[in-house]
């Protein structure tokens, strides 16, 4: 087992032979090289397909039981977790507590580098206690090189509390192993700029988080077909999207869709259910609740639509 402070052996720290003359390339050659290397992120996701699917399944089951999803990381990894968590409420109308991003150094680390704070495993453990994580919750540690003490400390503390634990890392298991329930390895190889894991490692992590959170929300019934029917109608763009969803899925024109949307309390899912079943808002809400918010199941259960 390598010492965590000696990191030269890690895949994410290696020098990339394809970019040895990086400082001599033209702008167009730089773009082409990045494009060539970034293609490896797609292959890495494909290679991790089974572990990503398991992550979706276990997280969905946990959230159905009343659990929460936490991403924990430092630096770029932490910022990506916070980004994914922050985008769930507007996209899926989730409670901000349902999916949360934890970054070493707190909110200030989102805009100002505070990577030194990642070296304290005890801080990672403390934040798990602070968020009162239990056996119902899922904790996803994100660390490109797999060695971040803050993430190690958080995952260890989460395991002790009985939470479901997952790891996203961009190095092989033998280079940095951690006892977790789901081990997701995204092997994109050395960076164009040696050790700069905000590049391919950051890109592939964003792809993985997109897949996990969206996959979970789909399985929780927050999507109908491929439409975000649980979208929060909080600004002009989202209001327009809500109207287009209703128009596309019904025979209503835009004006009629607008009337229905207001009648439903600006709830796209309720609006569609009201339209398809003929029920009023309260009855539609009860029917939807009985099917745990799954619009398709609610629609199929009603005599007028089944």
């Amino acid at each position: 087992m390598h010492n965590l402070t000696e990191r030269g052996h890690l895949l994410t720290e290696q020098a990339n032979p394809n970019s040895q003359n990086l400082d001599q390339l033209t702008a167009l050659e730089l773009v082409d090289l990045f494009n060539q290397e970034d293609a490896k992120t797609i292959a890495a996701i494909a290679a991790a397909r089974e572990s990503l699917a398991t992550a979706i399944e276990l997280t969905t089951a946990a959230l159905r039981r009343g659990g929460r999803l936490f991403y924990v990381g430092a630096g770029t990894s932490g910022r990506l977790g916070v980004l994914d968590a922050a985008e769930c409420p507007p996209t899926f109308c989730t409670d901000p507590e349902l999916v949360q991003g934890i970054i070493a150094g707190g909110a200030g680390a989102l805009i100002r580098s505070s990577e030194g704070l990642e070296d304290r495993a005890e801080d990672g453990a403390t934040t798990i206690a602070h968020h009162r994580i239990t056996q119902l919750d899922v904790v996803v540690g994100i660390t490109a090189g797999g060695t971040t003490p803050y993430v190690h400390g958080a995952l260890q503390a989460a395991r002790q509390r009985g939470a479901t634990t997952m790891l996203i890392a961009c190095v092989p298991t033998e280079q940095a192993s951690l006892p977790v329930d789901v081990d997701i390895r995204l092997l994109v190889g050395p960076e164009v700029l040696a050790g700069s894991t905000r590049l391919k490692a950051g890109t592939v992590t964003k792809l993985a988080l997109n897949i996990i959170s969206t996959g979970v929300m789909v399985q929780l019934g927050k999507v109908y077909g491929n439409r975000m029917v649980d979208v929060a109608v909080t600004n002009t763009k989202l209001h327009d999207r809500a109207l287009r969803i209703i128009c596309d899925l019904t025979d209503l024109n835009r004006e009629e869709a607008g009337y229905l949307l207001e009648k439903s309390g600006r709830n796209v899912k309720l609006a569609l259910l009201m339209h398809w079943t003929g029920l009023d808002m309260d009855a539609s809400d009860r029917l939807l609740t009985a099917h745990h918010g799954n619009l398709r199941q609610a629609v199929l259960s009603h005599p007028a639509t089944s």
Side-chain angles (χ1 to χ4, degrees):
M1 182 69 182
H2 290 275
N3 186 318
L4 293 186
T5 61
E6 298 173 5
R7 307 180 73 255
H9 65 288
L10 298 176
L11 183 62
T12 50
E13 295 295 320
Q14 305 289 303
N16 189 327
N18 297 327
S19 61
Q20 286 180 334
N21 62 337
L22 187 65
D23 62 339
Q24 298 172 299
L25 300 182
T26 66
L28 188 56
E29 287 169 339
L30 278 166
V31 171
D32 289 342
L33 176 61
F34 267 98
N35 186 228
Q36 170 190 321
E37 288 295 316
D38 285 343
K40 296 175 183 177
T41 63
I42 305 302
I45 290 290
R49 56 190 288 275
E50 291 187 5
S51 56
L52 287 167
T54 301
I56 290 171
E57 291 165 352
L58 291 182
T59 303
T60 301
L63 268 52
R64 279 192 179 129
R65 293 192 302 266
R68 301 164 294 169
L69 169 60
F70 290 88
Y71 298 127
V72 183
T76 297
S77 296
R79 293 180 194 105
L80 289 168
V82 171
L83 174 63
D84 195 75
E87 290 175 342
C88 285
T91 309
F92 302 108
C93 218
T94 56
D95 187 306
E97 300 291 310
L98 188 68
V99 183
Q100 299 181 48
I102 300 172
I103 182 170
L110 293 172
I111 54 175
R112 185 172 290 109
S113 174
S114 55
E115 269 71 349
L117 297 171
E118 70 183 49
D119 292 337
R120 294 169 54 88
E122 60 270 30
D123 287 356
T126 298
T127 199
I128 294 298
H130 174 74
H131 286 86
R132 298 180 180 177
I133 284 167
T134 74
Q135 73 275 7
L136 294 175
D137 298 321
V138 176
V139 177
V140 181
I142 311 171
T143 163
T147 62
T148 306
Y150 182 86
V151 174
H152 280 238
L155 287 173
Q156 183 177 9
R159 279 182 68 82
Q160 289 171 350
R161 287 170 168 259
T164 299
T165 55
M166 305 182 186
L167 176 69
I168 294 177
C170 299
V171 296
T173 306
E174 61 269 20
Q175 291 189 354
S177 62
L178 265 176
V180 289
D181 297 303
V182 185
D183 198 347
I184 302 167
R185 301 290 170 147
L186 306 171
L187 306 182
V188 292
E191 299 288 3
V192 167
L193 181 62
S196 183
T197 52
R198 71 185 185 88
L199 302 177
K200 280 188 300 185
T203 300
V204 78
T205 296
K206 180 70 168 77
L207 292 175
L209 295 178
N210 283 348
I211 291 168
I212 292 170
S213 60
T214 308
V216 167
M217 296 302 164
V218 169
Q219 295 209 331
L220 287 176
K222 291 186 167 292
V223 172
Y224 187 87
N226 64 354
R227 307 305 177 105
M228 53 171 80
V229 289
D230 248 338
V231 63
V233 185
T234 53
N235 64 19
T236 304
K237 178 188 78 173
L238 296 174
H239 184 260
D240 172 66
R241 182 175 297 158
L243 291 178
R244 284 186 286 109
I245 290 170
I246 295 171
C247 289
D248 289 348
L249 294 178
T250 69
D251 55 358
L252 300 177
N253 61 38
R254 192 175 174 89
E255 184 179 350
E256 293 167 333
Y259 174 74
L260 179 63
L261 185 62
E262 294 306 317
K263 196 175 172 184
S264 70
R266 291 197 157 200
N267 185 313
V268 175
K269 197 184 275 188
L270 272 184
L272 289 167
L273 191 56
M274 290 165 63
H275 177 72
W276 288 330
T277 63
L279 297 171
D280 63 19
M281 181 177 167
D282 289 341
S284 294
D285 192 37
R286 286 194 296 271
L287 181 60
L288 201 53
T289 300
H291 291 277
H292 308 288
N294 189 304
L295 178 59
R296 190 174 294 277
Q297 290 177 8
V299 170
L300 291 175
S301 74
H302 194 267
T305 56
S306 59

